[in-house]
Amino acid sequence: MHTSVLANLPTPSCGLKTRLAALLMVSLCGSLVLYPLLHRWIAPFVGLSFGLATLLVSVGVVQRNLRIPSSVLTNIWIAFMIIYDIWFIIALIYGNTLRYIYQDSAGFLLYLGALPVIYLLVQQNNLQRLFFSFVERLSQLIGAASVILAVIIYGVMGEISSESITLINAYAFTMGLSWSIDHNHGLLGLYTNVAHFMLLGSALAFYRFYLFGRRRDVFLILLYLTAFLLDGRRALVIAAFMQIVIVALPRLKMLLFGQHMMLALVMLVGLIVFIISNKDWIQQRFNFYDVDASSAERYAQIPALLDKIVDKPVFGGGFGSIASYIRSFERPFSYEVDFLATFMKLGMVGGILYFGTYLFGVAQALRIRGPLGLYLISAGLPFFFYMGTNGNQAMSTDSAIFHIFLFMMIAFTLPNRGRLAVWNNGLRSASREPQKVLSA
């Protein structure tokens, strides 16, 4: 049986301070992830949780003689701080609307403020194991809520229609909730702005199934896949498929030729059956021609964004930049083709630095001993695709929260620098003395 990397994480004490830290971690992280749902109460709740967590972390830093633990997150934090400062100033120089500048760069405030506070809160109180468990539980909650809500609407209304969903949205809003639900060609689209968070939960479910082969984890994987489909966004469905491919490739190498052929045949038959039984839905949801409203919107944005990029190719126009085509009067800086929009705002220098920082953080998972690194990569790389094809995701607060959680999961499971140096030295010594290794 493989040994889980999570088993090597420290175990927290049962003291009052640790319990308070755990409560603050759950309340702060949970409210950040579910902020679209909380709507009316989010500001005071996050503010109070963040304030108390910052106070507790500050006390811990003072008690440790102002020493901050060395981590790969330090480099990530510095990179995001540089991006925020430079391109905020560039936006001011070009006279971008101040309100748009703040809205467009809000995700960076989470990198600069929430990332160090949450990391130190977990690290100082040995809550790493609890943090992983929290990510799993929250992912399960989002997936279960999505499926249960769809079942309830269908059971009460007898159908899933735009009219019934509009009524539910209006009723939820009177209660201070903003779980926006829309109708996507016969499927219920639970547009929570947090559905992508389940990529982390499904990665951990795949990992635990690899370790233990439990039916419970198969059920969780199916739950997540169902919730991805119910969400109704093509990019999220494709991202989920990419995750499956990433986690499956290493296992395929272990199969014999005959097993490969059998698996390929089963998958082909299953795919044919699925396509035949869902032909209309597939044609509607995966229509990338300009006759599809969503695709037509993207086709209209691309030339305008490219023209703006050519106008300021090196450093861009700063946060809040707007191309000649506007998709939203409320958020004119927001575009579905978000990779191009990001390069329009940050230029080639800032765009490469920003996306390079994200890919650098994801690549650190390759240093994790054991298979967990691959499963975390299976969440990170598909999300890279997702945030570039979904409106206002590349630099949004939604993505910042996902990045922070993924970066911390990777950092917590990396071997520390001292142990890593000893381990690498041992490997180098073994490679220099093959005779002794064989004789031993």
Side-chain angles (χ1 to χ4, degrees):
M1 179 66 68
H2 298 277
T3 301
S4 171
V5 178
L6 304 185
N8 299 326
L9 295 178
T11 302
S13 63
C14 298
L16 179 61
K17 179 186 174 184
T18 303
R19 292 180 180 177
L20 175 61
L23 178 62
L24 287 175
M25 184 200 74
V26 171
S27 60
L28 177 57
C29 294
S31 58
L32 284 175
V33 172
L34 298 174
Y35 82 91
L37 173 63
L38 297 175
H39 182 57
R40 186 181 297 173
W41 311 298
I42 184 61
F45 197 83
V46 171
L48 179 62
S49 300
F50 181 76
L52 293 175
T54 302
L55 179 62
L56 187 62
V57 164
S58 301
V59 171
V61 171
V62 172
Q63 290 177 341
R64 289 166 173 78
N65 298 321
L66 304 181
R67 288 181 299 178
I68 304 296
S70 177
S71 170
V72 66
L73 296 182
T74 304
N75 297 327
I76 293 174
W77 186 86
I78 292 173
F80 285 139
M81 180 180 66
I82 292 173
I83 296 170
Y84 180 75
D85 291 341
I86 292 178
W87 277 272
F88 196 102
I89 294 173
I90 290 175
L92 294 177
I93 292 174
Y94 284 119
N96 296 349
T97 305
L98 194 60
R99 178 165 61 92
Y100 297 158
I101 296 175
Y102 283 124
Q103 289 179 328
D104 199 19
S105 62
F108 283 87
L109 299 180
L110 292 177
Y111 293 131
L112 302 183
L115 175 59
V117 168
I118 297 174
Y119 170 70
L120 290 175
L121 182 68
V122 173
Q123 193 272 341
Q124 289 177 357
N125 298 279
N126 294 327
L127 301 178
Q128 293 91 332
R129 190 189 300 268
L130 180 62
F131 182 78
F132 271 86
S133 177
F134 167 78
V135 171
E136 287 187 289
R137 297 292 183 272
L138 191 56
S139 299
Q140 293 167 14
L141 173 64
I142 296 170
S146 300
V147 175
I148 290 173
L149 185 57
V151 171
I152 290 176
I153 293 176
Y154 189 82
V156 173
M157 304 291 184
E159 63 175 349
I160 298 176
S161 63
S162 301
E163 292 76 13
S164 60
I165 293 173
T166 301
L167 291 175
I168 294 173
N169 284 342
Y171 178 73
F173 193 79
T174 61
M175 299 175 62
L177 303 176
S178 61
W179 194 320
S180 179
I181 309 172
D182 56 38
H183 187 254
N184 285 296
H185 302 292
L187 276 181
L188 180 66
L190 302 182
Y191 187 69
T192 64
N193 279 347
V194 294
H196 56 257
F197 185 80
M198 291 185 293
L199 287 170
L200 294 176
S202 59
L204 293 178
F206 276 117
Y207 172 63
R208 294 195 182 280
F209 178 73
Y210 168 78
L211 292 178
F212 309 116
R214 298 179 304 190
R215 293 180 180 177
R216 174 179 179 273
D217 296 310
V218 175
F219 170 77
L220 288 176
I221 292 170
L222 293 176
L223 172 68
Y224 294 135
L225 292 177
T226 303
F228 288 142
L229 287 172
L230 288 174
D231 181 79
R233 281 172 284 183
R234 295 175 295 193
L236 194 57
V237 174
I238 296 173
F241 176 75
M242 291 173 62
Q243 183 177 60
I244 294 174
V245 171
I246 291 173
V247 300
L249 285 177
R251 303 303 298 271
L252 294 178
K253 295 179 181 178
M254 303 168 58
L255 299 178
L256 301 174
F257 177 77
Q259 293 173 321
H260 275 117
M261 297 301 295
M262 181 61 68
L263 178 62
L265 180 61
V266 171
M267 292 179 63
L268 179 61
V269 172
L271 181 62
I272 292 174
V273 172
F274 175 78
I275 292 175
I276 292 176
S277 58
N278 298 274
K279 183 174 61 175
D280 293 338
W281 177 80
I282 292 173
Q283 184 176 5
Q284 291 170 332
R285 294 305 300 146
F286 290 89
N287 181 358
F288 295 101
Y289 297 101
D290 55 7
V291 294
D292 173 65
S294 179
S295 299
E297 184 69 39
R298 287 168 168 80
Y299 284 127
Q301 295 172 20
I302 291 175
L305 292 171
L306 289 175
D307 288 341
K308 191 76 171 183
I309 291 173
V310 172
D311 184 42
K312 297 182 178 71
V314 181
F315 292 101
F319 296 122
S321 294
I322 301 171
S324 59
Y325 180 88
I326 297 176
R327 64 176 289 273
S328 169
F329 289 105
E330 294 180 357
R331 301 172 66 86
F333 52 84
S334 174
Y335 294 92
E336 272 87 3
V337 191
D338 223 5
F339 278 162
L340 289 181
T342 302
F343 280 102
M344 174 191 72
K345 299 166 188 175
L346 305 183
M348 296 303 296
V349 174
I352 292 173
L353 180 59
Y354 177 64
F355 292 125
T357 299
Y358 174 73
L359 294 176
F360 166 79
V362 174
Q364 299 307 303
L366 296 172
R367 294 169 47 202
I368 298 174
R369 295 200 294 269
L372 178 61
L374 173 69
Y375 292 89
L376 293 179
I377 288 174
S378 77
L381 289 186
F383 187 77
F384 182 73
F385 159 81
Y386 169 79
M387 69 180 179
T389 58
N390 216 53
N392 196 34
Q393 284 292 319
M395 294 193 299
S396 71
T397 51
D398 306 350
S399 295
I401 295 166
F402 183 94
H403 295 175
I404 288 171
F405 277 57
L406 177 60
F407 291 155
M408 290 200 299
M409 292 168 72
I410 292 173
F412 290 146
T413 46
L414 284 174
N416 63 45
R417 296 181 185 273
R419 286 192 340 220
L420 183 63
V422 172
W423 186 57
N424 288 336
N425 288 336
L427 289 179
R428 283 194 290 268
S429 299
S431 64
R432 292 193 193 104
E433 303 180 75
Q435 297 293 337
K436 291 184 179 180
V437 173
L438 290 175
S439 61

